């Protein structure tokens, strides 16, 4: 996602009232940081909110942490470009994995009292897999925080005309202030606030857009009359998404590649997400967090993807782009910004700018709060300074937050010069993620799986994914040689699939050749060695239905299937 | 590693004197969301009321500020009523720790 430099096309006509509404938002953000500081007395308070938050808060933070610049700009761009098939990123590529995390995996994460996902890795497989996982995760977070910050700065530059370096430092300073003061509580509370402001900005935008095109019927008519025709209106088989010619393979690619390997790898093992659920106040709340999050997650595309589709018929620049007559002044990534420019009056405009800035900052804050936890607990405490008093690690976390922010600012500056490089680096770190789900799921359900199998499976899975990417047409840019005819999303689905299969095969083979860990060390980490009372709240049957994770997951699953049928 | 075994609410209990109790109440995220959305709602509602005909032209005759303002005020009221009806129970030293949780 590259946004062009300062260009007057996107310049918004913000008034004093709009600036006032944005400023008010910043007062709230910093106020939350100051208030949250008063609740920090142990390192667990700082890194995991003292495991004290209710499920609806951690559930909203769970999806909000992901609702950053890449998501809002990128998914509305997909909506403008390929239409309803974009819904798969939510209904197939997120909701099932979130439900799986809550129902199946969270009992092990929360019940074993680990403080991070890499720490689970260390308890289950020892230090070999742990060190690699902790370092690759920490470095990837710095990189992504930098990319988020860069996007934020380019958007502030385009919308308000601030120079790049001013917005980089201003945004960096705001994020630093509240995460260093209040730790995870401040980050989570801001994510919840951000969620409501984004919804308050994008819902009226969608309604105004629909009103302008003549309602849903008018939108359907205009899209059908457009260059892409009615392929934009159906989500299945989604060839535009996968880049596959065959509809059958496209469906298989979406279900297995996006729905299974990629999304399960991301949602169930990414500590940025899991950390939010770990901050919950009880086992049933921790399990409910991703499940509660799945409800807004399945409906939020209606105010992100649909505006993209509306922009494709309503905004002249995007319409020209679709007809292949764009003059290069805008890209699909600008779709939602152009719609905001054309539809929102002053007042609403201020709320929309506040919402966008909020979401971009929250994305960066999420990366930084996950980074400082993994750095302090998994790298510093484990390998550098072991037996210090607890408040020492809180200080380490604060220092790590400062350093991470400075690094992110420099990464953002680097990204402004070499944006392709950033894309490839992100793809590369994706390869470390691809096999994680295979190792976790085997490790949780197969007590014999050995420590050696843990790191060997991860390493070979990563190599498998890199190999597919190199052989594909464009997954790694100039490094790809084009030996197999795969490109775009299709290539990353196949790469992730290869990582999964190779990881499983290698893990199984290595396990039979090596010695398993003693069973007493695996209690709480492996299904068959964890008594039921460790996995489920003993009084869960006393809770009302809306607080019982499995009931909620069932309702969510029915709803997401219904959405797929209605909008096929 | 000592914090590892600590029960989640111990730290809250230790610091729960009267002053902190007030801070916890002000720090209820429902209050924060309710107040921010409420201020936003009132501001754009007023902007909608005072909109000129030219402004309405841009909206194609549909006063977006006014109606969004009304919706935000209603949602804000919902949050603040929720806080009133189910207030955050602040734990006293020695009280049952489970009451510390937001409902």
């Amino acid at each position: 996602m590259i946004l062009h430099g300062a260009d007057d096309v996107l310049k918004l006509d913000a008034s004093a009232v709009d600036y006032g509404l944005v400023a008010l938002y910043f007062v709230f953000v910093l106020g939350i940081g100051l208030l949250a500081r008063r609740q920090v007395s142990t390192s667990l308070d700082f890194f995991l909110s003292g495991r004290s938050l209710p499920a609806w808060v951690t559930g909203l933070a769970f999806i909000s942490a992901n609702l950053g610049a890449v998501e809002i700009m990128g998914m509305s761009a997909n909506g403008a470009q390929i239409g309803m098939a974009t819904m798969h990123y939510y209904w197939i590529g997120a909701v099932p994995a979130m439900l799986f995390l809550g129902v199946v995996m969270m009992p092990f994460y929360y019940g074993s009292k680990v403080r991070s996902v890499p720490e689970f890795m260390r308890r289950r497989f020892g230090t070999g897999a742990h060190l690699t996982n902790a370092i690759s995760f920490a470095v990837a977070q710095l990189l992504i925080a930098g990319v988020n910050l860069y996007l934020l700065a380019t958007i502030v530059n385009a919308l308000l005309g601030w120079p790049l370096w001013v917005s980089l430092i201003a945004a960096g300073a705001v994020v630093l202030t509240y995460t260093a003061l209040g730790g995870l509580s401040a980050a989570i509370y801001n994510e919840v606030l951000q969620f409501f402001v984004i919804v308050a900005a994008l819902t009226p935008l969608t309604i105004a857009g629909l009103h302008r095109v003549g309602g849903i019927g008018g939108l359907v008519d205009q899209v059908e009359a457009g260059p892409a025709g009615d392929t934009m209106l159906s989500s299945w088989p989604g060839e535009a998404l996968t880049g596959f010619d065959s509809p059958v393979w496209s469906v298989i690619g979406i279900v297995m590649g996006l729905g299974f390997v990629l999304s399960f790898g991301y949602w169930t093992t990414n500590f940025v997400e899991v950390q939010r659920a770990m901050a919950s106040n009880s086992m049933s709340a921790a399990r409910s967090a991703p499940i509660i999050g799945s409800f807004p997650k399945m409906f939020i595309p209606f105010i992100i993807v649909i505006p993209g589709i509306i922009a494709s018929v309503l905004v002249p620049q995007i319409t020209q782009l679709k007809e292949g007559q764009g003059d290069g002044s805008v890209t699909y990534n600008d779709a939602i910004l152009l719609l905001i420019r054309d539809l929102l009056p002053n007042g609403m405009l201020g709320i929309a700018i506040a919402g966008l800035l909020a979401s971009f900052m929250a994305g960066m804050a999420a990366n930084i709060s996950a980074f400082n936890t993994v750095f302090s607990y998994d790298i510093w405490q484990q390998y550098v300074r072991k037996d210090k008093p607890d408040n020492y690690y809180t200080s380490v976390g604060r220092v790590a937050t400062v350093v991470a922010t400075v690094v992110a600012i420099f990464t953002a500056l680097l990204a402004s010069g070499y944006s392709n490089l950033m894309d490839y680096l992100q793809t590369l770190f994706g390869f470390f993620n691809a096999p994680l789900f295979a190792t976790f799921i085997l490790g949780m359900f197969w007590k014999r799986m050995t420590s050696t199998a843990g790191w060997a499976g991860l390493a070979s899975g990563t190599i498998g994914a890199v190999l597919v990417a190199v052989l594909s047409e464009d997954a790694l840019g100039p490094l790809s040689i084009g030996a197999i005819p795969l490109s775009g999303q299709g290539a990353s689905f196949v790469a992730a699939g290869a990582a999964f299969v190779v990881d499983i095969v290698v893990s199984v083979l290595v396990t039979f050749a090596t010695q398993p860990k003693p069973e007493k060390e695996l209690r709480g980490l492996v299904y068959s060695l964890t008594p039921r009372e460790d996995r489920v709240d003993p009084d869960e049957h006393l809770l009302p239905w809306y607080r019982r994770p499995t009931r909620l997951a069932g309702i969510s699953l029915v709803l997401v299937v219904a959405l797929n049928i209605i909008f096929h | 590693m000592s914090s590892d075994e600590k029960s989640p609410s111990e730290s809250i209990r230790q610091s729960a004197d009267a002053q902190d109790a007030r801070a916890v109440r002000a720090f209820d995220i429902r209050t924060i969301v309710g107040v921010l959305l409420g201020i936003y709602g009132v501001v754009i509602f007023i902007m909608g009321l005072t909109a000129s005909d030219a402004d309405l032209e841009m909206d194609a005759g549909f006063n977006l500020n006014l109606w969004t303002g009304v919706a935000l005020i209603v949602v804000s009221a919902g949050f603040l009523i929720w806080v009133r009806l189910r207030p955050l129970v602040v734990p006293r030293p020695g009280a049952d720790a489970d009451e510390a949780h937001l409902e």
Side-chain angles (χ1 to χ4, degrees), chain A residues 332-528:
Chain A
Y332 284 115
N333 282 327
D334 302 327
I336 205 157
L337 298 178
L338 291 166
L339 201 65
I340 287 172
R341 179 201 66 181
D342 288 356
L343 289 182
L344 295 187
N346 290 113
M348 267 312 300
L349 188 62
I351 298 181
I353 297 173
L356 289 177
L357 293 181
S359 97
F360 301 160
M361 284 194 312
M364 176 183 170
N367 298 128
I368 291 197
S369 57
F371 167 85
N372 65 24
T373 307
V374 166
F375 180 82
S376 309
Y377 281 152
D378 289 290
I379 298 177
W380 199 260
Q381 187 179 37
Q382 182 64 30
Y383 298 104
V384 187
R385 289 269 183 280
K386 244 193 162 91
D387 299 308
K388 293 275 182 179
D390 183 64
N391 61 9
Y392 170 82
Y393 297 104
T394 313
S395 312
V396 170
R398 289 208 162 99
V399 174
T401 307
V402 176
V403 174
T405 309
V406 174
V407 172
I409 291 176
F410 280 101
T411 315
L413 285 173
L414 198 68
S416 67
Y418 305 92
S419 56
N420 284 339
L421 179 73
M422 288 295 143
D423 287 347
Y424 301 140
L425 279 176
Q426 284 202 77
T427 315
L428 202 63
F429 281 110
F431 297 141
F432 286 99
N433 266 333
L436 274 177
F437 175 65
T439 298
F440 272 95
I441 203 72
L442 261 189
M444 281 176 179
F445 287 93
W446 192 30
K447 63 181 180 186
R448 201 189 181 292
M449 185 176 180
T450 64
S451 304
T452 323
W455 65 260
L458 283 180
S460 48
T462 300
I463 294 169
V466 175
L467 208 64
V468 171
V470 170
L471 291 176
S472 76
E473 281 169 0
D474 62 358
L476 272 180
L479 287 176
S480 294
I481 56 177
I484 39 178
L486 287 168
S487 63
Q489 280 298 311
S492 48
F493 294 172
V494 174
F500 184 84
V501 173
V502 171
D503 183 309
I504 297 272
V505 170
V506 170
S507 301
V508 170
L509 291 178
V510 173
T511 290
F512 284 115
T514 46
Q515 279 299 316
K517 281 182 94 158
E519 289 194 358
K520 62 175 175 18
E521 288 178 22
L522 295 177
R523 181 179 161 142
L525 306 172
V526 179
Y527 181 80
S528 59

Side-chain angles (χ1 to χ4, degrees), chain A residues 17 21 24-25 35 39 45 50-51 54 56 113 115 189 196 204 211-212 281 344 346 348 381 547, chain B residues 1 3-4 6 8 11 27 29-30 39-40 44 47 58 62 64-65 68 72 79 82 101-103:
Chain A
V17 176
L21 292 174
L24 180 70
Y25 187 80
L35 284 169
Q39 295 197 324
D45 291 341
R51 297 196 210 265
W56 71 270
K113 294 272 178 254
R115 299 161 304 176
Y189 278 15
F196 288 105
H211 181 75
R212 189 72 72 87
N281 57 18
L344 295 187
N346 290 113
M348 267 312 300
Q381 187 179 37
R547 291 178 62 189
Chain B
M1 297 288 273
S3 62
D4 219 355
K6 209 164 199 177
S11 54
F27 193 49
I29 183 66
R30 297 171 298 177
I39 298 174
Y40 276 6
I44 62 170
M47 298 223 22
M58 181 186 167
F62 164 53
L64 199 59
N65 273 339
T68 311
L72 285 180
F79 269 103
W82 183 19
H101 308 151
L102 285 162
E103 290 296 327

Side-chain angles (χ1 to χ4, degrees), chain A residues 261-275:
Chain A
V261 192
L262 272 186
S263 97
F264 277 66
Y266 178 82
W267 292 100
T268 66
T269 66
N270 189 333
F271 184 53
V272 179
E273 307 301 333
V274 177
Q275 183 180 27

Side-chain angles (χ1 to χ4, degrees), chain A residues 107-276:
Chain A
F108 301 103
Y109 285 141
Y110 195 84
S112 63
K113 294 272 178 254
V114 294
R115 299 161 304 176
S116 70
V117 169
E119 187 166 284
F120 183 88
M121 192 71 119
R122 179 172 63 77
R123 296 260 306 272
R124 179 65 185 82
F125 297 115
T127 49
H130 172 252
L131 191 60
T132 330
N133 182 226
I135 291 176
S136 74
F137 178 81
V139 176
Q141 290 320 301
L142 290 180
L143 182 79
I144 300 170
V147 170
N148 269 323
L149 187 57
Y150 167 63
L151 287 172
L152 185 149
T154 49
I155 288 157
V156 173
N157 176 259
L159 296 184
L160 306 174
W162 293 16
L164 199 65
W165 66 271
V166 173
S167 28
L168 275 183
I169 291 175
V174 171
V175 170
L176 174 66
T177 309
Y178 74 79
T179 46
L181 286 175
L184 187 64
S185 297
I188 285 183
Y189 278 15
N190 272 317
E191 281 154 14
V192 173
L193 190 61
Q194 168 228 337
F195 175 82
F196 288 105
V197 176
I198 273 287
V199 172
L202 296 185
T203 312
L205 178 72
T206 311
I207 293 172
L210 282 176
H211 181 75
R212 189 72 72 87
V213 293
I216 295 169
L219 179 65
V220 168
D221 292 343
Q222 292 196 37
V223 170
E224 277 176 345
D230 58 5
T231 54
M232 267 186 79
L233 296 172
S234 56
S235 56
W236 294 102
E239 289 111 319
L241 176 73
T242 53
F244 295 162
D245 294 331
S246 144
V248 177
W249 280 110
S250 181
V251 170
I252 295 174
I254 289 173
V255 173
M256 296 306 294
L258 176 67
F260 184 60
V261 192
L262 272 186
S263 97
F264 277 66
Y266 178 82
W267 292 100
T268 66
T269 66
N270 189 333
F271 184 53
V272 179
E273 307 301 333
V274 177
Q275 183 180 27
R276 268 105 198 115

Side-chain angles (χ1 to χ4, degrees), chain A residues 74-117:
Chain A
M75 289 301 156
S76 53
N78 281 333
Q81 198 171 2
I82 65 174
M84 290 298 284
T86 312
M87 296 297 194
H88 292 315
Y89 285 107
Y90 298 84
W91 298 341
I92 302 292
V95 170
M98 290 165 69
L99 300 180
F100 188 84
L101 171 66
V103 173
V104 179
M105 293 174 73
M106 194 47 77
F108 301 103
Y109 285 141
Y110 195 84
S112 63
K113 294 272 178 254
V114 294
R115 299 161 304 176
S116 70
V117 169

